Amino acid sequence: MDSTMQADFGIRYEPSSDFLHIWGGEVTNGDKGCGTLFSGETLYFSGAGAREVQTKAFNTLTADYIEFYLRIGGNLPDCSGAETRDEGILLEYSVNGGTTWHLIQEMVPSQYRKSKFVHNVLPQTAKSPRTKFRLWQVKHSGAGRDQWAVDEIRIGSYERMRSLQDNFNNHADPVKSGKWLTITEGVRGKYCQARDYTLILANQQNDKSVVTKDLRLQTGDVIQFRINVGCSTQFRLDHPVMLQYSHDGGQTWRLVHEPCYQESDCNGLQTEGTIYYSGPHGSWQNIIIPVSETIAMHPVIFRWWQPGGYAFSFALNDVYIGPPCPENCNRRGTCENNRCICQDGFTGPTCADTSVTQYGLFDWFDNHHDPSNGWRRILGGSLGLKCGVVDHGNALYFSEDGTREAVTKPLNTTFLRMLQFVIKIGGNDGSFSCTDPSNRNEGVIVDYSTDNEITWNVLKMVEPRIYNTTKEFVTLDLPADAKTDHTIIRFWQPLGYGGLGRSEWGIDSVIVGVNETNAKTFYDDFNMMMPDPYKWLQAESAVARSSCQSGGNALEFSRDTGMYKSSLNSAFKVIHGAGV
Ligand SMILES: [Ca+2]
Ligand SMILES: [Ca+2]
Ligand SMILES: [Ca+2]
Ligand SMILES: [Ca+2]
């Protein structure tokens, strides 16, 4: 006797395997009848007589729930009416072969005009070695009126899994791995230059979703996966993939992290949230999210959900949810059986990066019209003067749609003291057009990561100056825990809520430098094109840069109050004069 059931009514599904009879209903394509409820085909009722679907007997002694999607009427040509309560649907069970039936839930038509997920915990009295279920309509106004449909009927038990792991390599039908509650028509394949099998969600009229079975997690566990949205470098704000969780079996969903910026109370977590857009996520990205106390509080299911039809697709690979691997494999590997499987080029129990990182970073954005090679990625920005001169010559300015961020490579900041930069947010002067800010969320966030972009700590939120878009010189002390040999620094502007227009901005004269141990023996021979930030010393509010006029062998110190041009020796005096 079966104890679980999953009826998706798709072309490979045989209704007689689960149902004793279907009266007044038939399996219908999603563009007919009551439309798509969950995915693909539905079981649609419009007959003249009785309308009822009744299951075979199931052993429900270990079952916990019955769930399905339901729609009653709702203004489609072949799905309307059901005006009164007694034209609603009842879910009932019988433990004596159908002699007597007991109500689990009454579904009132007015609440099901659109497809709605219904999740019912089985009452104790419904748990027996032979329990049948039925859905039926008490009354209707005749053939072709007061229609309704169900889809994705499932009987199952909570599994409270301590971890979930799937690399999609082993099962031709991904649901057969036993890890997933449901996947809308997911197929296994190699999406977007993947080197091994992935789970592909594509070619579907309905919203796409991948839903895990339920997990019992602890704070500090991780959600890890690789994702590719749309296989495209083109940013699209619409039709992203959202990672959500549910504590009520899928009736209500929330983002694992909501977007949260300056304006809100974010508990120090400035984030775009668990929303993945084509563009930044149109190439394979490795995502690691620590599980919060809120999520671990109750048994939980997760889903990756992409609204939209045939034009949109995404794929997942190497999903792991559970206790963390050592150092989360530094986001350079996948976690399998609590061990790291490292990406090419990395080894060891934690996939640590053992290469030597550069000391600090200097970038004036003036060399060869390319940023220095200290940046890991720059999205939505390029060198130029669209926001005017920010400090000197070109700046790195950001005006493109979508993600705007500049992220350094891992830098050695162990003995470095500060981060300096000049920034300008908005500001038209007639000769150029640099969109002005209109609210606080259009500022620029500066944060750092010491774990290869798994977690971030805010250094500074540069607030937009709404009435005074002059440039701002920023000098920040690096906090002790930002001083490592693999610290990543990021400048980014939130996408904002709802994709409204944003201010444009530029940064210039970025310095991660100022050696703190050699302060007394400052020395730099200036044989290099760029000064060595490891040996650097600067006064607060002074910004160093190579000077075109001096052939690269001199330094300039500019201040809000004036301009000093000097050789190294006199620069040193300026610093002493400033009392350092
Ligand atoms: Ca279906
Ligand atoms: Ca009616
Ligand atoms: Ca795989
Ligand atoms: Ca510059």
Side-chain angles (χ1 to χ4, degrees):
M1 178 108 8
D2 286 341
S3 58
T4 63
M5 153 177 154
Q6 179 157 11
D8 65 10
F9 304 103
I11 47 174
R12 285 171 296 188
Y13 176 74
E14 179 48 61
S16 64
S17 60
D18 291 318
F19 299 101
L20 218 52
H21 66 244
I22 297 169
W23 293 333
E26 60 190 339
V27 174
T28 304
N29 191 301
D31 49 24
K32 300 198 186 104
C34 289
T36 303
L37 268 63
F38 179 66
S39 76
E41 291 78 7
T42 66
L43 183 59
Y44 166 67
F45 293 85
S46 65
R51 296 176 184 173
E52 174 178 308
V53 55
Q54 189 179 126
T55 71
K56 299 189 308 188
F58 285 86
N59 181 346
T60 56
L61 289 172
T62 58
D64 292 308
Y65 60 82
I66 181 168
E67 62 189 14
F68 47 86
Y69 290 79
L70 176 70
R71 172 172 175 156
I72 310 171
N75 282 326
L76 285 176
D78 294 317
C79 195
S80 62
E83 302 84 356
T84 58
R85 179 167 181 162
D86 59 5
E87 290 174 333
I89 311 299
L90 302 183
L91 171 65
E92 296 178 326
Y93 71 93
S94 172
V95 294
N96 56 11
T99 308
T100 52
W101 291 91
H102 308 276
L103 183 70
I104 297 177
Q105 190 182 353
E106 175 190 0
M107 279 127 330
V108 179
S110 59
Q111 294 174 15
Y112 295 87
R113 297 306 189 201
K114 291 178 181 166
S115 174
K116 187 170 171 185
F117 181 64
V118 181
H119 178 87
N120 272 285
V121 176
L122 291 184
Q124 273 305 316
T125 49
K127 297 191 179 188
S128 84
R130 297 183 62 81
T131 300
K132 291 176 170 183
F133 299 90
R134 70 176 182 184
L135 282 160
W136 65 290
Q137 190 171 24
V138 182
K139 195 182 130 184
H140 59 77
S141 305
R145 304 175 70 176
D146 307 327
Q147 304 96 327
W148 54 287
V150 291
D151 194 13
E152 198 73 15
I153 307 176
R154 294 192 287 257
I155 298 168
S157 54
Y158 300 126
E159 304 206 5
R160 306 294 187 245
M161 295 186 296
R162 188 64 192 89
S163 68
L164 178 156
Q165 181 181 312
D166 198 346
N167 60 20
F168 306 108
N169 292 347
N170 302 323
H171 297 271
D173 180 354
V175 169
K176 291 281 194 302
S177 71
K179 312 293 170 61
W180 307 98
L181 196 58
T182 187
I183 301 169
T184 55
E185 294 167 47
V187 296
R188 186 177 75 160
K190 294 180 179 175
Y191 185 84
C192 204
Q193 287 104 46
R195 280 191 270 173
D196 63 339
Y197 283 122
T198 69
L199 172 64
I200 302 175
L201 283 289
N203 298 319
Q204 298 173 41
Q205 179 191 40
N206 46 270
D207 296 349
K208 299 162 197 74
S209 51
V210 178
V211 188
T212 69
K213 288 190 171 174
D214 56 291
L215 291 125
R216 182 176 284 284
L217 299 178
Q218 295 175 3
T219 308
D221 287 352
V222 294
I223 304 162
Q224 179 169 350
F225 56 93
R226 301 181 69 225
I227 189 168
N228 187 310
V229 183
C231 191
S232 167
T233 55
Q234 179 69 43
F235 181 87
R236 286 195 68 147
L237 191 69
D238 57 348
H239 306 284
V241 175
M242 291 170 243
L243 175 63
Q244 301 172 309
Y245 72 95
S246 174
H247 280 149
D248 58 12
Q251 293 177 98
T252 56
W253 294 93
R254 298 184 64 125
L255 285 167
V256 169
H257 288 304
E258 297 282 346
C260 196
Y261 314 128
Q262 275 113 317
E263 221 168 45
S264 316
D265 174 16
C266 305
N267 285 324
L269 186 71
Q270 303 278 318
T271 175
E272 293 288 6
T274 50
I275 305 176
Y276 307 101
Y277 300 92
S278 71
H281 297 94
S283 57
W284 283 101
Q285 299 295 327
N286 199 356
I287 310 285
I288 297 175
I289 304 161
V291 169
S292 67
E293 192 180 344
T294 306
I295 286 173
M297 202 179 294
H298 304 287
V300 64
I301 61 177
F302 296 95
R303 77 169 176 185
W304 289 262
W305 179 60
Q306 185 183 38
Y310 288 109
F312 310 98
S313 65
F314 74 101
L316 292 175
N317 202 356
D318 298 320
V319 175
Y320 172 81
I321 304 174
C325 262
E327 295 180 22
N328 286 313
C329 311
N330 285 290
R331 213 172 59 86
R332 294 189 194 91
T334 57
C335 194
E336 287 187 15
N337 302 316
N338 299 99
R339 293 185 55 191
C340 293
I341 312 293
C342 300
Q343 289 169 10
D344 288 352
F346 301 98
T347 55
T350 65
C351 312
D353 184 2
T354 52
S355 61
V356 176
T357 50
Q358 78 174 52
Y359 279 111
L361 173 80
F362 272 55
D363 205 338
W364 283 261
F365 304 111
D366 293 332
N367 284 332
H368 308 296
H369 300 283
D370 275 324
S372 81
N373 64 5
W375 302 94
R376 171 179 272 185
R377 66 176 181 276
I378 293 172
L379 296 177
S382 55
L383 300 196
L385 291 164
K386 182 141 186 285
C387 283
V389 174
V390 174
D391 186 38
H392 183 85
N394 275 348
L396 176 61
Y397 78 93
F398 291 83
S399 64
E400 293 171 31
D401 284 346
T403 304
R404 295 176 180 172
E405 65 179 6
V407 183
T408 71
K409 290 178 178 171
L411 305 173
N412 188 340
T413 56
T414 311
F415 301 110
L416 299 181
R417 211 165 68 193
M418 55 183 62
L419 165 66
Q420 292 188 331
F421 56 93
V422 188
I423 185 166
K424 184 165 171 288
I425 302 174
N428 301 303
D429 82 343
S431 62
F432 56 88
S433 167
C434 181
T435 309
D436 283 335
S438 54
N439 82 56
R440 282 185 64 198
N441 288 326
E442 296 174 40
V444 173
I445 297 162
V446 185
D447 50 12
Y448 70 93
S449 172
T450 58
D451 57 10
N452 197 28
E453 305 192 49
I454 297 169
T455 57
W456 293 94
N457 304 283
V458 174
L459 279 169
K460 167 91 175 171
M461 291 184 282
V462 183
E463 303 248 348
R465 299 176 175 185
I466 294 177
Y467 301 106
N468 172 11
T469 52
T470 54
K471 60 190 170 185
E472 188 174 341
F473 291 83
V474 179
T475 300
L476 301 167
D477 285 328
L478 292 177
D481 58 7
K483 298 181 186 188
T484 73
D485 61 3
H486 52 268
T487 297
I488 294 169
I489 292 171
R490 174 174 75 167
F491 299 79
W492 63 286
Q493 183 182 34
L495 287 169
Y497 304 108
L500 302 171
R502 288 173 295 169
S503 58
E504 295 168 341
W505 51 287
I507 54 173
D508 199 3
S509 305
V510 175
I511 301 169
V512 182
V514 187
N515 182 351
E516 59 186 11
T517 57
N518 284 353
K520 294 253 166 19
T521 56
F522 174 70
Y523 170 71
D524 194 328
D525 62 11
F526 284 79
N527 286 333
M528 298 175 293
M529 279 297 289
M530 284 292 184
D532 178 354
Y534 184 55
K535 297 173 181 168
W536 257 71
L537 178 70
Q538 270 190 277
E540 190 159 330
S541 85
V543 175
R545 61 191 170 223
S546 60
S547 162
C548 302
Q549 292 86 346
S550 57
N553 274 347
L555 294 172
E556 287 180 357
F557 285 79
S558 60
R559 291 168 166 276
D560 287 332
T561 52
M563 179 73 85
Y564 301 82
K565 281 192 181 176
S566 56
S567 69
L568 173 61
N569 282 339
S570 55
F572 204 43
K573 283 175 198 154
V574 170
I575 292 166
H576 280 283
V580 176

